[in-house]
Amino acid sequence: MNPNMYGPPPTQFQPQPLQPQQQQYAAPPPVAAPGGWPPQQQQQSQPPQQQQQQQQPQYGAPPTSSAPQTYLNGNYQQQLATSMGGLNMGGGGGGGVPALKIAQQQPPLGQAPPPTAGQGAPPTGFNQFNSNSAPLPPTNNNNAFAAPPPSAREAAGGYANGPTPVGAPAGAPPPPTSTPQSVASGINQMSLNSGHLAGLPHMPPPKSATPQNAAGAVPPPPLGAPGAQPAAGPFGVSTSRPGQPLLPPGAGAPPTFTQAGLPPQSQPGLPPMQQAGLPQQSGLPSMQQPGLPPQSQAGLPPPLQQSANSFGAPQQQQQPGAQFGAPQQQQQQSAASFGAPQPGGFPGSYPGGPPPLPGQQSAAPPPQFGAPQTAGYPGQQQPAAPGYPPQPGQQPGAPGYPPQPGGYPGQPGQQQRPGFNQPPMPGAGNMYQQAPQQRRLDPDQMPNPIQVMIENQRLAGGPFVTNQPGLLPPLVTTKFVVHDQGNSSPRFLRSSLYCIPNTGDLLKTTALPLTLNISPLARTAEGELEPPIVNFGDMGPIRCNRCKAYMSPNMQFVDAGRRFQCLMCKVSSEVHPDYYQHLDHTGQRVDKHERPELLLGTYEFLATKDYCRNNVQPEVPAFIFIIDVSYNTVKSGLVHLLCAQIKNILKHLPVDQGQDKSKVRVGFITYNSTVHFYNIKSNLAQPQMMVVGDVQEMFMPLLDGFLCDPEESAAVIDALMEEIPRMFADTKETETILYPAIQAGLEALKASNASGKLLVFNSTLPIAEAPGKLKNRDDRKLLGTDKEKTVLTPQTTAYNTLGQECVQQGCSVDFFVFNNAYIDIATIGQVARLTGGEVYKYTYFQADVDGQRLIEDIIKNVSRPIAFDAVMRVRTSAGIRPTEFFGHFFMSNTTDVELASIDATKSISIEIKHDDKLPPEENVYVQVALLYTSCSGQRRLRVLNLALRVTTTIADVFKSCDLDAIMLFFAKQACFKLMEHSPKQVKDNLIHRSAQILACYRKHCTSPTSAGQLILPECLKLLPLYASCLLKNDAISGGSDMTLDDRSFVIQFVLSMDLNMSVNYLYPRFIPIHNVSPEETELPTPVRCTHEKITEDGAYILENGVHLFIWLGQSLSQNFVQSVFGVQGLQQLALERFNITAETPLARRITDILEQIMHERTRYMRITWLRQNDKLESVFRHFLIEDRGTDGSASYVDFLCHMHKEIKDLLS
């Protein structure tokens, strides 16, 4: 976890100069294309003043927007609404366009909304969110990005359904048509609390006593005098549009936040001028800028200013049939300016206001704070949108808003300062005295994985029948049973899209990746068939003559069954006489239901010797244990522990399908500065040891007796395991080798002509004189900088070469690393990466503390289904082809993925590109073939088939996305790209790609609703959250608070992991355990991963598959502590070496929960116990992924705002 994930944390949390302002119309910096990674422009870091100036509005409008936009006070939805003001799809306002119509009626469907004046700025290069380059300008760390546009909140606000309304409970009826779902009311206030403090343990918000001015007024900003001059943009380019005349003060300056998506002044729904640092509008002649009439927006009444979503984006009163998901003006503004009237819906306008536009009701004069609520306040009963029942938790009146408890201003305990108790920055004026906060935004209104998973379980749990092309499978987390009827189970093969655009251009427009996630040996669920094994004898598998695809349900028999047509390449081949069968009246073979290859999506063929190395059937594979016996491993207890447990471990060797016991053979090697082989032949009385001292030229000294059956040689192995700890008990060897030890295992497999796996137990950097000697290049300060790739890539190619030699023999390598110091996983891990292996890491290993975890990991490792010496090829219909491959494997050509081994917990992601148009009326077929040696020595082919639909419409593509597969692909691709690009480029690319996807949906698949909405496709409603999780993930953002080895370890972990693992690795599971009942057996339902779900009297498990924390609140009930831990109070617990020992039903229930979690995971996690306010709490909080990162990375809400702004920039 890393306090500096995105570059040095900004010095203070000054409300952020909003990004677009920087460059409103300067040429946008180069932005990576979805696929490409052109170097991004370095962000400029500018002195605060300059930034503030840049904030000045364009065209000489009042610099209201310059107020640093803290999202503190944002009434979420309103902000969103405002910020989304720039989302209109109409053309940008030309020179001198009068300020946009306020509170326009929604345009009738099908008609574009009126053009907006300063519609979204082009994306700027300064992406603070991941700036890793220049030091950040002082920023409001509240939004670790350039301030997220209010939009985000809005974002939360207008998820239309289809597009999901934010916050509608999954599966709830679609929200009233256009209500932004995220509560535009005080309650939706985004107040920040110490939860988001960098550097402090985040806790639930303390009562802050920030003094507020009477009306929350804030003194005016010390900006450079507000003037009519547009401020210079970051490149000295004036922020006004070229050719746009500066407007005279009274000329109806365009709404101040021409910045796309920055609601500068009051967000609708904020106390109007809540922008920190601007005069409050509560009734003051707000925002008076010299020379402008008080109501700085062209002629708007002050409080209405923003409420009217300045961009014409305001959604007006709901019209029946208004855009789905478009927030209604009224509601959207509800709570605008604490009681300011909603722009829509007041009879008569007041003098001085602009005349109502056609079709629009005029605005009313602004009431002061506390004025009676007018139309659309959450407290009032408004008729729900026609046809929709009120959403749960909200009053029927304000669709989409939960009922407001209590008044607006100054909710007790809610006022937090934007700067989180930091002193204001020089020159920032008193911007920290912000207006009284409204109630906090309820993030439960935003899409969250828990609801989505529960909903998917309800809708898609149970049987999943694969009998049609392009069926979208249930989520990975859903419990379902696959009935294979012609398409492979999603456990083996998942596509990111189940309906493919027919051209590459259309795919590029959507920005969605077309990828396959392949886990060919995944475990099946209870009630599912293991893939059947088909034996064609000497005839061998039936294949297409041209493209070599294997016989599958997608082949069509013609010519009375004498020929079959391959649907991939369209060529017909003759049927082998021994395979001939008559057709029935429907053209199907009469024996179809007896032949798995004509009926199922997944099946295996026994391979003939043509499919074997050198045309010889393979030997039974072997596992070789290669154990470091230097001083470190003996002292830590590792050698004793391993030798004591080997007997237990060998009971779990993998058993092949249809066999009753394992045939896998085993061998043992130890090493320090020399390599020792052991003869364990079953007829020996004692094991024999052979030492190879010449490590420069490694060879195999034993011809026979090295690899043996563990049952037959059990007595000799037991004797050896007693002997090894005795022999090396007094060793003083500290300088060790590594390369020759791996080479020794490889030579042993070569000598017996077998494939297999080496389990290498290593504790120190190999610095002894020998091949593969490494230098210590530990410099963690480089992490998170542009130079990090110098320490994340191997320091020598020796281990890469060794890895390739291993692949040629079918020898896979798994490392178990016990490092107390730098061990260079980036270099030695290459052997594991290339051979399909993985790395396990136990830093500061102590046998008594970590022993169980190690033994459980080894048992999980050796017992899982595994394939050796494998080659995988992906074949597709004409028109598309696989282009990029990510995972742990080696490729010597562009088509064959060579895997020394692959097991049930690994997956490979493959990107597919178009090379021609696809006929929309036909399906696309994918066939994955894995040729491998099973753990009993059989050569087999596993075939996976998948049929996908083709479409010409973008909407169909968005209806059939698998977000989990997309995110795993992005994660693997990003880890891969980190070796070539700076972390900032990788992260910028990810943000930009996500924004492109959502912008495309907004542009092509939603009717022209008001611009003020973030609309998410149903399948991708968690994309902003998962993208934010991926950006915060240690693999991508690890900085100098991690070690280099930790960073390399998590990168390798991501590259090899499968979908089941990835979902909780990106978004950890957070499970309350203080309220479990001892009688239940299921895992408790998780809650959202944020400190807001923590109570002081609670106990919680937080796990992501690598780490498992148990957090105990300081007010945890005495009964719970007594019955689970057997002590009177938490202070009596010694948490460092803690285990649950009590024998009560509750203690057993907690133990069962932990065991169940461990059972589901590929690794046995180390349990870290911590009490509230312990030092370790900051590490625990790093994994509360929806909160602001301890390193200043954005919270989910802020990121959503940021995404919304990016989307608006793209659309404008």
Side-chain angles (χ1 to χ4, degrees), residues 48-54 56-57 63 66 221-227 229 231 289-290 427:
Q49 283 95 321
Q50 194 179 333
Q51 288 194 331
Q52 285 173 352
Q53 282 162 16
Q54 286 169 352
Q56 272 179 277
S66 62
L223 289 190
Q229 288 306 332
Q289 248 93 39

Side-chain angles (χ1 to χ4, degrees), residues 7-10 43-46 51 126 128 131-139:
Q43 68 185 17
Q44 304 80 300
S45 61
Q46 304 158 2
Q51 288 194 331
F126 174 69
Q128 179 152 323
S131 62
N132 270 332
S133 31
L136 303 189
T139 59

